[in-house]
Amino acid sequence: MLWIISSLVFILLRIAPGDPVDAILGTRANEFARESLRIKLGLDKPLINQYIEYLNQLIHGNLGISLNTQEPVKVIISKALPASLELAIFSILIASLVGYLIGFAGAVKPESRIDFWGRIFGIGTYALPPFWAAMLIQIIFAILLGWLPIGGRLPPGAIPPPAITGFLLLDSILDKNIEIIFNSIKHLILPSVTLGILLSGIFSRALRLNLEEVLKKDYIQAAKSRGIKDSRILVKHALPNTLLPILTITGLTISSLIGGALLIEITFSWPGIALGLQEAINQRDYPVVQGIVVTISSLVVMISIGIDIAIAYIDPRVSY
Amino acid sequence: MLKLHYIKNILKVSSVILFLLQLSCVQNKKRENIIVASAGKIESLDPAQANTLRTLQILSALGDTLYKVDKEGNLYPSLAKDLPKVSKNGLLIDIPLKENISFHDGSIFNAEAMAFSLNRFMKIGTLNYLLNDKIEEIKVKDEFLIRIKLKKPSSSLKSLLTSVNLTPISPNSYSNYKDNFNNKSFIGTGPYFLESFNASQQIIKPFKNYWGEKPLNKGIDFINYSNSSTLFGALKTKGVDVLISNSIDDMQRLTLNNMVNKGQLKSGEGDPIEIGYITFKSNKLPLENKKIREALSYTIDRELISQQVSFGTREPLRSIVPPKLHKKVFTPWPKYNHNIARSLLKKEGYCETNILSIPLTFRSNVPADKLLALTWKDQIKRDLSDCIEITLNGVESTTVYKQLSEGSFEAVILDWTGAYPDPEAYLTPLLSCNKINNNSCLKGEAVFSGSFWGDDKLQELLEKSEELEGESRLKNLIKVEQLAAEGSAYLPVWLVNPKAWSLKDISQPEFSSDGLIILKNLQRY
């Protein structure tokens, strides 16, 4: 799978119009300058040679050097990925909390007022264009009310703590820097809440539908007829059986967020991997694009395998 | 009742958290450094690689150039001791250098250092063709005198020496970077030294041993945000002190200008250096027909477009060289007149039944381009719907640049900023052509610019201007531009001023002639 993805990225990038030499030199450079740079960057070699070299390097864990900055791609990814992961983790937490709470309330009391508004919330947040919602939230909470910072991971001028894990909040806790801890939380709130709320719609809808279905099953009715308390039926019988599809949806959402939430990262100037990928595509920085895509794909594959293992562990009917 | 109790508790906890977060806000503290925000990351601080406005802006504070251009457009020495002395045959240029100037690493600035920097740029600089096309050799004649030997006389070279890309760097600190870029540090002679660098934030502090006027501030923090709304919001919420205009949308520019008018902000404006224009591909029918291109040059209502797209902040332009560089008002392109356009098109057999169809390409990631395209299309529909029809095509900018020289676009909206403040920096990149066949350019800059238009007489005048100086050179370049207007392969639309806004407690931003903020003049009151 990874080989297919990395080969596809390699081919698609070369097919796409645009040239890293143009992006670096501009279109005005003379042919000599362009050719010199092409040789320097190894772009003068036949495509097949470039491809073989790329695969060879990839197998040895070398993602290459950025054409634009001459920085190792590994370093670029190691700087950007934790920012995306930090945002993804907090967003998923918020999305789970809000989404599952609303979905649960709706499923427990179907057709009630809370269920009605929960469904409206679910459909509404799912339908909202992320960039629009993000800008709206930014305008209200950062510009008009001034409660939270408008973007970035830290206030301008603040010195970040030494990068130990790359996760700013964790690093500032390890550094015992109270000001940076609070500032990093403050900067995290708007993007993660925005993303969390946008994702919570999927979670609430998924839980509500699955739970509602499970609650109609014969074994639930049987449990009720045996006089078991509703709360016990929900927690002990219904929820565990709802968990499988929910786990799959959560896993898929986490996988998609590892690649970064591009529009959220752009709107909030969040220096994550999606923003880096977008910049690299604009500059036709082949190694960076390839490196980021391969890294994201690897993580997605790992998470998918992890979810499959978890499902097999939870559900004895599933075996591999 | 129980629910209400829970809600109250949640609200209480939220209030405490928000209160704590507000307490932690460093923005409320009096900042020492001035925070300057703009769009775009800085990937490298090497002057040999710098090509973005943001990088040049920082380098202009970290380094000095041999010469600078004053407000009247005249060259004056900065690191040089005197104006360059050109030999009679125009092939040798002697530049005496100031003494007692040191680099940030303590080493001495001298002719060796200057020659090292220029040679390094010529060897590895991404824009090295600017020098390599002109310079044969750089020699150290004395400890504080360098001699530049040219391949052919070049009067534009002096202006080129004002380019921030040619700022000297310390040979001591760059001894390991003779053949490769030093992206994350910079050792120059400028009023500031680099204290810290990462892609999203750079901090510079005043250099104690600076030879010239000392900065009026205690340091500058450069930060970048990825979009216009965040930049705008950051200034509005006082998260930053100064905002540079390079990526601010026109709507937000207008709001910022209104805030300036109300006294809520200050603003400064530099001489316009960026031109916006439309290129017509002139080697294929129907635009191969000069009369049709001429007709099109009458069809654009620049005043209307400026108002509709930029609320009047972009100045209508009828030349391809910013007027300031000609030192006089010169508008060779015709004014909007749809009647003349119609009559010219009728003569060529268009209008009524035969409608001229022009596919107009705009860069989809440049909002102003899209608005310009839409407005021009509507304006044509209003005034000349019986003669012309414009169809729009949005293409990402990197693709546009790549396909421009392949002749993929009949008409395309572009912009250009000269690498140095000189008419030649606008005329040559758009008009120069090495091989012309019947007004069609086969090889040269006109191919890269997508017009494929060449003119032997124009080329001759352009080459001659390199041998001329002063007033006669300017006159010659005016003739070049007149011929370009007659050829109508380009349609200038507007002029963009570099602009910056600052908070009330910060001094008004001042600009140098190359469109960069003079950072050392910024001060907090």
Side-chain angles (χ1 to χ4, degrees), chain A residues 16-19 22-34 37-38 40 67-71 75-76 79 109 114 135 138 142-144 146-160 178-179 181-183 185-187 189 265-272 275-276 278-279 281-284, chain B residues 3 17-18 20-27 29 31 35 40-41 43-44 49 51 124-130 132-133 179-181 183-184 195-196 198 200-201 203 221 223-227 229-234 236-237 239-240 252 277 365 396 398-399 401-404 414 416 428-430 445-446 448-449:
Chain A
D19 188 340
D22 282 337
I24 295 168
L25 290 183
T27 51
R28 306 284 165 178
N30 60 32
E31 209 39 57
F32 176 75
R34 299 161 72 82
L37 187 63
R38 204 163 271 132
K40 194 175 161 186
L67 298 181
N68 200 33
T69 63
Q70 301 297 306
E71 203 175 7
V75 175
I76 294 173
K79 281 180 194 166
K109 289 187 177 175
I114 196 162
M135 280 173 74
Q138 204 177 35
I143 297 178
L144 294 179
W147 288 356
L148 293 159
I150 194 146
R153 281 179 98 188
L154 273 180
I159 308 290
I178 301 293
E179 191 173 271
I181 293 172
F182 277 112
N183 273 315
I185 294 173
K186 261 183 91 169
H187 281 75
I189 290 176
E265 287 189 5
I266 290 176
T267 309
F268 290 102
S269 290
W270 191 262
L275 201 58
Q278 186 226 11
E279 284 164 359
I281 291 171
N282 285 343
Q283 291 162 341
R284 301 294 189 268
Chain B
K3 274 183 190 168
I17 292 170
L18 267 176
L20 282 171
L21 290 172
Q22 288 300 315
L23 276 182
S24 72
C25 194
V26 291
Q27 283 168 211
K29 291 178 187 171
R31 291 192 282 247
I35 297 170
K41 268 186 184 176
E43 309 276 13
S44 167
Q49 200 182 16
N51 59 5
I124 64 166
T126 50
L127 299 172
N128 60 4
Y129 56 92
L130 290 172
N132 290 348
D133 289 349
D179 304 318
N180 54 336
F181 298 123
N183 293 326
K184 292 181 179 174
E195 190 179 75
S196 78
N198 66 55
S200 56
Q201 181 172 311
I203 301 174
D221 286 7
I223 61 153
N224 77 287
Y225 289 123
S226 53
N227 65 79
S229 303
T230 311
L231 285 165
F232 168 77
K236 214 172 170 214
T237 55
V240 299
Q252 282 154 351
Y277 63 95
N365 52 330
E396 180 229 7
T398 316
T399 308
Y401 302 144
K402 175 66 185 169
Q403 295 187 337
L404 205 53
L414 294 164
W416 179 251
T428 302
L430 296 183
E445 300 290 335
F448 290 118
S449 65

Side-chain angles (χ1 to χ4, degrees), chain A residues 49-82:
Chain A
N49 290 12
Q50 287 185 44
Y51 177 68
I52 292 167
E53 197 175 320
Y54 161 64
L55 280 187
N56 182 35
Q57 295 291 328
L58 199 61
I59 289 164
H60 291 91
N62 186 358
L63 297 175
I65 304 271
S66 161
L67 298 181
N68 200 33
T69 63
Q70 301 297 306
E71 203 175 7
V73 175
K74 261 186 196 171
V75 175
I76 294 173
I77 292 172
S78 67
K79 281 180 194 166
L81 190 60

Side-chain angles (χ1 to χ4, degrees), chain B residues 171-185:
Chain B
N172 284 358
S173 298
Y174 283 75
S175 56
N176 294 331
Y177 296 98
K178 281 178 191 164
D179 304 318
N180 54 336
F181 298 123
N182 180 3
N183 293 326
K184 292 181 179 174
S185 70

Side-chain angles (χ1 to χ4, degrees), chain A residues 7-20 47 50 284 286 290, chain B residues 396 398-399 402-403 406:
Chain A
S7 302
L8 267 179
V9 175
F10 182 90
I11 294 163
L12 288 174
L13 276 171
R14 266 74 180 177
I15 291 171
D19 188 340
L47 266 187
Q50 287 185 44
R284 301 294 189 268
Y286 300 153
Q290 287 161 185
Chain B
E396 180 229 7
T398 316
T399 308
K402 175 66 185 169
Q403 295 187 337
E406 293 164 10

